[in-house]
Amino acid sequence: MKVIASFPLRVNELKKIIAQCTGQTILAWGTDPIVKQLANRACDVLPQERIIGMKHEKAPFYYHASPTPLKGKIRWLEYMNERIS
């Protein structure tokens, strides 16, 4: 697990919380470039083997859980249902 240099005071707290979580982590922050820096930081600390989400072709993006068109919402739900079930 990489240490996030810009958050040194909270890294140990974050590691402790993540270690206590045993379930999967759903990533669905969307594809807006404004979230790229925070998304990269999240990917650095989250256990990769527990991550699920509908990956976008460009990292570190994951499709949003509730995209604007209804068919996008249905597609996301069907995708996630197959992975969680």
PDB file of all heavy atoms in Angstrom, residues 26-56:
ATOM      1  N   ILE A  26     -16.972  -0.741  -3.872  1.00  0.00           N
ATOM      2  CA  ILE A  26     -17.510  -0.354  -5.176  1.00  0.00           C
ATOM      3  C   ILE A  26     -16.961   1.015  -5.542  1.00  0.00           C
ATOM      4  O   ILE A  26     -17.110   1.980  -4.794  1.00  0.00           O
ATOM      5  CB  ILE A  26     -19.047  -0.322  -5.154  1.00  0.00           C
ATOM      6  CG1 ILE A  26     -19.597  -1.718  -4.876  1.00  0.00           C
ATOM      7  CG2 ILE A  26     -19.584   0.230  -6.480  1.00  0.00           C
ATOM      8  CD1 ILE A  26     -21.101  -1.757  -4.687  1.00  0.00           C
ATOM      9  N   LEU A  27     -16.321   1.099  -6.705  1.00  0.00           N
ATOM     10  CA  LEU A  27     -15.833   2.370  -7.221  1.00  0.00           C
ATOM     11  C   LEU A  27     -16.772   2.820  -8.331  1.00  0.00           C
ATOM     12  O   LEU A  27     -17.083   2.056  -9.238  1.00  0.00           O
ATOM     13  CB  LEU A  27     -14.412   2.233  -7.754  1.00  0.00           C
ATOM     14  CG  LEU A  27     -13.362   1.721  -6.768  1.00  0.00           C
ATOM     15  CD1 LEU A  27     -11.972   1.767  -7.403  1.00  0.00           C
ATOM     16  CD2 LEU A  27     -13.386   2.496  -5.469  1.00  0.00           C
ATOM     17  N   ALA A  28     -17.244   4.053  -8.236  1.00  0.00           N
ATOM     18  CA  ALA A  28     -18.196   4.569  -9.226  1.00  0.00           C
ATOM     19  C   ALA A  28     -18.175   6.093  -9.228  1.00  0.00           C
ATOM     20  O   ALA A  28     -19.208   6.736  -9.178  1.00  0.00           O
ATOM     21  CB  ALA A  28     -19.599   4.046  -8.917  1.00  0.00           C
ATOM     22  N   TRP A  29     -16.983   6.681  -9.296  1.00  0.00           N
ATOM     23  CA  TRP A  29     -16.880   8.136  -9.202  1.00  0.00           C
ATOM     24  C   TRP A  29     -17.036   8.852 -10.526  1.00  0.00           C
ATOM     25  O   TRP A  29     -17.011  10.069 -10.578  1.00  0.00           O
ATOM     26  CB  TRP A  29     -15.577   8.555  -8.538  1.00  0.00           C
ATOM     27  CG  TRP A  29     -14.353   7.832  -9.009  1.00  0.00           C
ATOM     28  CD1 TRP A  29     -13.831   7.814 -10.271  1.00  0.00           C
ATOM     29  CD2 TRP A  29     -13.507   7.040  -8.207  1.00  0.00           C
ATOM     30  NE1 TRP A  29     -12.700   7.041 -10.297  1.00  0.00           N
ATOM     31  CE2 TRP A  29     -12.475   6.557  -9.040  1.00  0.00           C
ATOM     32  CE3 TRP A  29     -13.498   6.690  -6.861  1.00  0.00           C
ATOM     33  CZ2 TRP A  29     -11.451   5.738  -8.574  1.00  0.00           C
ATOM     34  CZ3 TRP A  29     -12.478   5.882  -6.401  1.00  0.00           C
ATOM     35  CH2 TRP A  29     -11.474   5.418  -7.254  1.00  0.00           C
ATOM     36  N   GLY A  30     -17.208   8.139 -11.582  1.00  0.00           N
ATOM     37  CA  GLY A  30     -17.457   8.773 -12.872  1.00  0.00           C
ATOM     38  C   GLY A  30     -16.186   8.987 -13.676  1.00  0.00           C
ATOM     39  O   GLY A  30     -15.108   8.497 -13.326  1.00  0.00           O
ATOM     40  N   THR A  31     -16.323   9.742 -14.741  1.00  0.00           N
ATOM     41  CA  THR A  31     -15.222   9.907 -15.693  1.00  0.00           C
ATOM     42  C   THR A  31     -14.797  11.361 -15.866  1.00  0.00           C
ATOM     43  O   THR A  31     -14.030  11.669 -16.765  1.00  0.00           O
ATOM     44  CB  THR A  31     -15.638   9.340 -17.067  1.00  0.00           C
ATOM     45  OG1 THR A  31     -16.810  10.017 -17.521  1.00  0.00           O
ATOM     46  CG2 THR A  31     -15.913   7.845 -16.985  1.00  0.00           C
ATOM     47  N   ASP A  32     -15.261  12.230 -15.011  1.00  0.00           N
ATOM     48  CA  ASP A  32     -14.884  13.638 -15.093  1.00  0.00           C
ATOM     49  C   ASP A  32     -13.427  13.805 -14.666  1.00  0.00           C
ATOM     50  O   ASP A  32     -13.050  13.374 -13.571  1.00  0.00           O
ATOM     51  CB  ASP A  32     -15.790  14.473 -14.186  1.00  0.00           C
ATOM     52  CG  ASP A  32     -15.628  15.962 -14.394  1.00  0.00           C
ATOM     53  OD1 ASP A  32     -14.497  16.420 -14.670  1.00  0.00           O
ATOM     54  OD2 ASP A  32     -16.633  16.677 -14.270  1.00  0.00           O
ATOM     55  N   PRO A  33     -12.583  14.411 -15.498  1.00  0.00           N
ATOM     56  CA  PRO A  33     -11.169  14.586 -15.158  1.00  0.00           C
ATOM     57  C   PRO A  33     -10.921  15.324 -13.841  1.00  0.00           C
ATOM     58  O   PRO A  33      -9.849  15.188 -13.255  1.00  0.00           O
ATOM     59  CB  PRO A  33     -10.609  15.393 -16.333  1.00  0.00           C
ATOM     60  CG  PRO A  33     -11.538  15.129 -17.464  1.00  0.00           C
ATOM     61  CD  PRO A  33     -12.894  14.912 -16.842  1.00  0.00           C
ATOM     62  N   ILE A  34     -11.898  16.044 -13.343  1.00  0.00           N
ATOM     63  CA  ILE A  34     -11.718  16.774 -12.090  1.00  0.00           C
ATOM     64  C   ILE A  34     -11.467  15.832 -10.907  1.00  0.00           C
ATOM     65  O   ILE A  34     -10.858  16.219  -9.914  1.00  0.00           O
ATOM     66  CB  ILE A  34     -12.903  17.726 -11.823  1.00  0.00           C
ATOM     67  CG1 ILE A  34     -12.489  18.802 -10.828  1.00  0.00           C
ATOM     68  CG2 ILE A  34     -14.123  16.974 -11.332  1.00  0.00           C
ATOM     69  CD1 ILE A  34     -13.412  19.999 -10.816  1.00  0.00           C
ATOM     70  N   VAL A  35     -11.913  14.577 -10.999  1.00  0.00           N
ATOM     71  CA  VAL A  35     -11.719  13.623  -9.904  1.00  0.00           C
ATOM     72  C   VAL A  35     -10.452  12.781 -10.050  1.00  0.00           C
ATOM     73  O   VAL A  35     -10.151  11.968  -9.176  1.00  0.00           O
ATOM     74  CB  VAL A  35     -12.934  12.672  -9.735  1.00  0.00           C
ATOM     75  CG1 VAL A  35     -14.208  13.433  -9.487  1.00  0.00           C
ATOM     76  CG2 VAL A  35     -13.070  11.737 -10.918  1.00  0.00           C
ATOM     77  N   LYS A  36      -9.700  12.991 -11.120  1.00  0.00           N
ATOM     78  CA  LYS A  36      -8.558  12.125 -11.424  1.00  0.00           C
ATOM     79  C   LYS A  36      -7.538  12.050 -10.281  1.00  0.00           C
ATOM     80  O   LYS A  36      -7.109  10.959  -9.902  1.00  0.00           O
ATOM     81  CB  LYS A  36      -7.867  12.568 -12.708  1.00  0.00           C
ATOM     82  CG  LYS A  36      -6.784  11.609 -13.142  1.00  0.00           C
ATOM     83  CD  LYS A  36      -6.218  11.962 -14.484  1.00  0.00           C
ATOM     84  CE  LYS A  36      -5.222  10.881 -14.901  1.00  0.00           C
ATOM     85  NZ  LYS A  36      -4.735  11.091 -16.251  1.00  0.00           N
ATOM     86  N   GLN A  37      -7.141  13.173  -9.728  1.00  0.00           N
ATOM     87  CA  GLN A  37      -6.129  13.167  -8.673  1.00  0.00           C
ATOM     88  C   GLN A  37      -6.618  12.403  -7.435  1.00  0.00           C
ATOM     89  O   GLN A  37      -5.908  11.558  -6.893  1.00  0.00           O
ATOM     90  CB  GLN A  37      -5.750  14.592  -8.299  1.00  0.00           C
ATOM     91  CG  GLN A  37      -4.611  14.657  -7.302  1.00  0.00           C
ATOM     92  CD  GLN A  37      -4.225  16.089  -6.961  1.00  0.00           C
ATOM     93  OE1 GLN A  37      -4.902  17.038  -7.328  1.00  0.00           O
ATOM     94  NE2 GLN A  37      -3.130  16.236  -6.247  1.00  0.00           N
ATOM     95  N   LEU A  38      -7.844  12.674  -7.008  1.00  0.00           N
ATOM     96  CA  LEU A  38      -8.390  11.964  -5.847  1.00  0.00           C
ATOM     97  C   LEU A  38      -8.628  10.492  -6.150  1.00  0.00           C
ATOM     98  O   LEU A  38      -8.416   9.628  -5.297  1.00  0.00           O
ATOM     99  CB  LEU A  38      -9.678  12.629  -5.382  1.00  0.00           C
ATOM    100  CG  LEU A  38      -9.510  14.006  -4.734  1.00  0.00           C
ATOM    101  CD1 LEU A  38     -10.867  14.625  -4.445  1.00  0.00           C
ATOM    102  CD2 LEU A  38      -8.679  13.911  -3.472  1.00  0.00           C
ATOM    103  N   ALA A  39      -9.049  10.187  -7.372  1.00  0.00           N
ATOM    104  CA  ALA A  39      -9.267   8.792  -7.763  1.00  0.00           C
ATOM    105  C   ALA A  39      -7.951   8.019  -7.734  1.00  0.00           C
ATOM    106  O   ALA A  39      -7.910   6.875  -7.265  1.00  0.00           O
ATOM    107  CB  ALA A  39      -9.899   8.729  -9.145  1.00  0.00           C
ATOM    108  N   ASN A  40      -6.882   8.624  -8.208  1.00  0.00           N
ATOM    109  CA  ASN A  40      -5.566   7.979  -8.152  1.00  0.00           C
ATOM    110  C   ASN A  40      -5.150   7.715  -6.709  1.00  0.00           C
ATOM    111  O   ASN A  40      -4.631   6.651  -6.389  1.00  0.00           O
ATOM    112  CB  ASN A  40      -4.506   8.827  -8.853  1.00  0.00           C
ATOM    113  CG  ASN A  40      -4.496   8.623 -10.347  1.00  0.00           C
ATOM    114  OD1 ASN A  40      -4.677   7.510 -10.831  1.00  0.00           O
ATOM    115  ND2 ASN A  40      -4.293   9.686 -11.093  1.00  0.00           N
ATOM    116  N   ARG A  41      -5.388   8.672  -5.846  1.00  0.00           N
ATOM    117  CA  ARG A  41      -5.047   8.496  -4.431  1.00  0.00           C
ATOM    118  C   ARG A  41      -5.846   7.358  -3.816  1.00  0.00           C
ATOM    119  O   ARG A  41      -5.315   6.552  -3.059  1.00  0.00           O
ATOM    120  CB  ARG A  41      -5.301   9.782  -3.651  1.00  0.00           C
ATOM    121  CG  ARG A  41      -4.326  10.877  -3.983  1.00  0.00           C
ATOM    122  CD  ARG A  41      -4.652  12.118  -3.205  1.00  0.00           C
ATOM    123  NE  ARG A  41      -3.749  13.194  -3.565  1.00  0.00           N
ATOM    124  CZ  ARG A  41      -3.882  14.428  -3.146  1.00  0.00           C
ATOM    125  NH1 ARG A  41      -4.891  14.761  -2.348  1.00  0.00           N
ATOM    126  NH2 ARG A  41      -3.025  15.347  -3.501  1.00  0.00           N
ATOM    127  N   ALA A  42      -7.127   7.297  -4.135  1.00  0.00           N
ATOM    128  CA  ALA A  42      -7.969   6.224  -3.611  1.00  0.00           C
ATOM    129  C   ALA A  42      -7.479   4.867  -4.109  1.00  0.00           C
ATOM    130  O   ALA A  42      -7.376   3.911  -3.329  1.00  0.00           O
ATOM    131  CB  ALA A  42      -9.423   6.443  -4.016  1.00  0.00           C
ATOM    132  N   CYS A  43      -7.146   4.779  -5.384  1.00  0.00           N
ATOM    133  CA  CYS A  43      -6.666   3.512  -5.950  1.00  0.00           C
ATOM    134  C   CYS A  43      -5.344   3.077  -5.316  1.00  0.00           C
ATOM    135  O   CYS A  43      -5.068   1.887  -5.216  1.00  0.00           O
ATOM    136  CB  CYS A  43      -6.515   3.631  -7.461  1.00  0.00           C
ATOM    137  SG  CYS A  43      -8.093   3.692  -8.332  1.00  0.00           S
ATOM    138  N   ASP A  44      -4.544   4.039  -4.872  1.00  0.00           N
ATOM    139  CA  ASP A  44      -3.269   3.712  -4.231  1.00  0.00           C
ATOM    140  C   ASP A  44      -3.441   3.049  -2.875  1.00  0.00           C
ATOM    141  O   ASP A  44      -2.592   2.273  -2.450  1.00  0.00           O
ATOM    142  CB  ASP A  44      -2.411   4.974  -4.060  1.00  0.00           C
ATOM    143  CG  ASP A  44      -1.800   5.448  -5.360  1.00  0.00           C
ATOM    144  OD1 ASP A  44      -1.800   4.680  -6.342  1.00  0.00           O
ATOM    145  OD2 ASP A  44      -1.316   6.599  -5.396  1.00  0.00           O
ATOM    146  N   VAL A  45      -4.512   3.354  -2.161  1.00  0.00           N
ATOM    147  CA  VAL A  45      -4.663   2.817  -0.801  1.00  0.00           C
ATOM    148  C   VAL A  45      -5.687   1.699  -0.676  1.00  0.00           C
ATOM    149  O   VAL A  45      -5.648   0.948   0.283  1.00  0.00           O
ATOM    150  CB  VAL A  45      -5.000   3.932   0.232  1.00  0.00           C
ATOM    151  CG1 VAL A  45      -3.864   4.919   0.332  1.00  0.00           C
ATOM    152  CG2 VAL A  45      -6.298   4.605  -0.068  1.00  0.00           C
ATOM    153  N   LEU A  46      -6.579   1.576  -1.618  1.00  0.00           N
ATOM    154  CA  LEU A  46      -7.593   0.538  -1.531  1.00  0.00           C
ATOM    155  C   LEU A  46      -7.030  -0.812  -1.971  1.00  0.00           C
ATOM    156  O   LEU A  46      -6.293  -0.883  -2.950  1.00  0.00           O
ATOM    157  CB  LEU A  46      -8.805   0.896  -2.397  1.00  0.00           C
ATOM    158  CG  LEU A  46      -9.596   2.101  -1.941  1.00  0.00           C
ATOM    159  CD1 LEU A  46     -10.624   2.495  -2.994  1.00  0.00           C
ATOM    160  CD2 LEU A  46     -10.275   1.830  -0.610  1.00  0.00           C
ATOM    161  N   PRO A  47      -7.363  -1.890  -1.256  1.00  0.00           N
ATOM    162  CA  PRO A  47      -6.902  -3.227  -1.653  1.00  0.00           C
ATOM    163  C   PRO A  47      -7.484  -3.602  -3.022  1.00  0.00           C
ATOM    164  O   PRO A  47      -8.702  -3.713  -3.178  1.00  0.00           O
ATOM    165  CB  PRO A  47      -7.449  -4.140  -0.551  1.00  0.00           C
ATOM    166  CG  PRO A  47      -7.830  -3.244   0.579  1.00  0.00           C
ATOM    167  CD  PRO A  47      -8.153  -1.926  -0.029  1.00  0.00           C
ATOM    168  N   GLN A  48      -6.631  -3.770  -3.994  1.00  0.00           N
ATOM    169  CA  GLN A  48      -7.052  -4.006  -5.373  1.00  0.00           C
ATOM    170  C   GLN A  48      -7.925  -5.248  -5.524  1.00  0.00           C
ATOM    171  O   GLN A  48      -8.824  -5.287  -6.349  1.00  0.00           O
ATOM    172  CB  GLN A  48      -5.823  -4.109  -6.298  1.00  0.00           C
ATOM    173  CG  GLN A  48      -5.007  -2.836  -6.347  1.00  0.00           C
ATOM    174  CD  GLN A  48      -5.793  -1.649  -6.858  1.00  0.00           C
ATOM    175  OE1 GLN A  48      -6.344  -1.694  -7.953  1.00  0.00           O
ATOM    176  NE2 GLN A  48      -5.866  -0.588  -6.070  1.00  0.00           N
ATOM    177  N   GLU A  49      -7.664  -6.261  -4.706  1.00  0.00           N
ATOM    178  CA  GLU A  49      -8.425  -7.511  -4.832  1.00  0.00           C
ATOM    179  C   GLU A  49      -9.868  -7.371  -4.372  1.00  0.00           C
ATOM    180  O   GLU A  49     -10.691  -8.238  -4.637  1.00  0.00           O
ATOM    181  CB  GLU A  49      -7.730  -8.655  -4.070  1.00  0.00           C
ATOM    182  CG  GLU A  49      -7.702  -8.499  -2.559  1.00  0.00           C
ATOM    183  CD  GLU A  49      -6.592  -7.594  -2.014  1.00  0.00           C
ATOM    184  OE1 GLU A  49      -5.817  -7.022  -2.812  1.00  0.00           O
ATOM    185  OE2 GLU A  49      -6.510  -7.460  -0.791  1.00  0.00           O
ATOM    186  N   ARG A  50     -10.210  -6.293  -3.689  1.00  0.00           N
ATOM    187  CA  ARG A  50     -11.580  -6.098  -3.203  1.00  0.00           C
ATOM    188  C   ARG A  50     -12.341  -5.031  -3.994  1.00  0.00           C
ATOM    189  O   ARG A  50     -13.481  -4.736  -3.692  1.00  0.00           O
ATOM    190  CB  ARG A  50     -11.553  -5.733  -1.721  1.00  0.00           C
ATOM    191  CG  ARG A  50     -11.051  -6.885  -0.875  1.00  0.00           C
ATOM    192  CD  ARG A  50     -11.356  -6.788   0.592  1.00  0.00           C
ATOM    193  NE  ARG A  50     -11.437  -5.469   1.146  1.00  0.00           N
ATOM    194  CZ  ARG A  50     -10.723  -5.041   2.188  1.00  0.00           C
ATOM    195  NH1 ARG A  50      -9.856  -5.837   2.758  1.00  0.00           N
ATOM    196  NH2 ARG A  50     -10.890  -3.829   2.654  1.00  0.00           N
ATOM    197  N   ILE A  51     -11.704  -4.465  -5.002  1.00  0.00           N
ATOM    198  CA  ILE A  51     -12.353  -3.413  -5.793  1.00  0.00           C
ATOM    199  C   ILE A  51     -13.228  -4.026  -6.868  1.00  0.00           C
ATOM    200  O   ILE A  51     -12.820  -4.941  -7.574  1.00  0.00           O
ATOM    201  CB  ILE A  51     -11.306  -2.496  -6.447  1.00  0.00           C
ATOM    202  CG1 ILE A  51     -10.634  -1.643  -5.375  1.00  0.00           C
ATOM    203  CG2 ILE A  51     -11.929  -1.626  -7.530  1.00  0.00           C
ATOM    204  CD1 ILE A  51      -9.530  -0.757  -5.895  1.00  0.00           C
ATOM    205  N   ILE A  52     -14.448  -3.512  -6.958  1.00  0.00           N
ATOM    206  CA  ILE A  52     -15.309  -3.850  -8.086  1.00  0.00           C
ATOM    207  C   ILE A  52     -15.895  -2.547  -8.621  1.00  0.00           C
ATOM    208  O   ILE A  52     -16.021  -1.556  -7.906  1.00  0.00           O
ATOM    209  CB  ILE A  52     -16.441  -4.842  -7.730  1.00  0.00           C
ATOM    210  CG1 ILE A  52     -17.352  -4.278  -6.653  1.00  0.00           C
ATOM    211  CG2 ILE A  52     -15.873  -6.181  -7.323  1.00  0.00           C
ATOM    212  CD1 ILE A  52     -18.595  -5.113  -6.439  1.00  0.00           C
ATOM    213  N   GLY A  53     -16.204  -2.549  -9.875  1.00  0.00           N
ATOM    214  CA  GLY A  53     -16.769  -1.375 -10.511  1.00  0.00           C
ATOM    215  C   GLY A  53     -16.684  -1.538 -12.014  1.00  0.00           C
ATOM    216  O   GLY A  53     -15.964  -2.396 -12.524  1.00  0.00           O
ATOM    217  N   MET A  54     -17.419  -0.713 -12.711  1.00  0.00           N
ATOM    218  CA  MET A  54     -17.402  -0.750 -14.166  1.00  0.00           C
ATOM    219  C   MET A  54     -16.296   0.184 -14.651  1.00  0.00           C
ATOM    220  O   MET A  54     -16.479   1.389 -14.732  1.00  0.00           O
ATOM    221  CB  MET A  54     -18.768  -0.323 -14.726  1.00  0.00           C
ATOM    222  CG  MET A  54     -18.873  -0.453 -16.221  1.00  0.00           C
ATOM    223  SD  MET A  54     -20.474   0.140 -16.830  1.00  0.00           S
ATOM    224  CE  MET A  54     -21.345  -1.383 -16.971  1.00  0.00           C
ATOM    225  N   LYS A  55     -15.136  -0.411 -14.938  1.00  0.00           N
ATOM    226  CA  LYS A  55     -13.963   0.368 -15.335  1.00  0.00           C
ATOM    227  C   LYS A  55     -14.169   1.066 -16.670  1.00  0.00           C
ATOM    228  O   LYS A  55     -14.710   0.495 -17.609  1.00  0.00           O
ATOM    229  CB  LYS A  55     -12.745  -0.541 -15.477  1.00  0.00           C
ATOM    230  CG  LYS A  55     -11.940  -0.694 -14.254  1.00  0.00           C
ATOM    231  CD  LYS A  55     -10.652  -1.441 -14.575  1.00  0.00           C
ATOM    232  CE  LYS A  55      -9.773  -1.475 -13.355  1.00  0.00           C
ATOM    233  NZ  LYS A  55      -8.528  -2.193 -13.614  1.00  0.00           N
ATOM    234  N   HIS A  56     -13.692   2.283 -16.724  1.00  0.00           N
ATOM    235  CA  HIS A  56     -13.625   3.039 -17.967  1.00  0.00           C
ATOM    236  C   HIS A  56     -12.320   2.653 -18.654  1.00  0.00           C
ATOM    237  O   HIS A  56     -11.402   2.161 -17.993  1.00  0.00           O
ATOM    238  CB  HIS A  56     -13.647   4.544 -17.631  1.00  0.00           C
ATOM    239  CG  HIS A  56     -13.755   5.417 -18.824  1.00  0.00           C
ATOM    240  ND1 HIS A  56     -12.652   5.929 -19.460  1.00  0.00           N
ATOM    241  CD2 HIS A  56     -14.832   5.898 -19.482  1.00  0.00           C
ATOM    242  CE1 HIS A  56     -13.044   6.688 -20.478  1.00  0.00           C
ATOM    243  NE2 HIS A  56     -14.366   6.678 -20.506  1.00  0.00           N
TER     244      HIS A  56
END
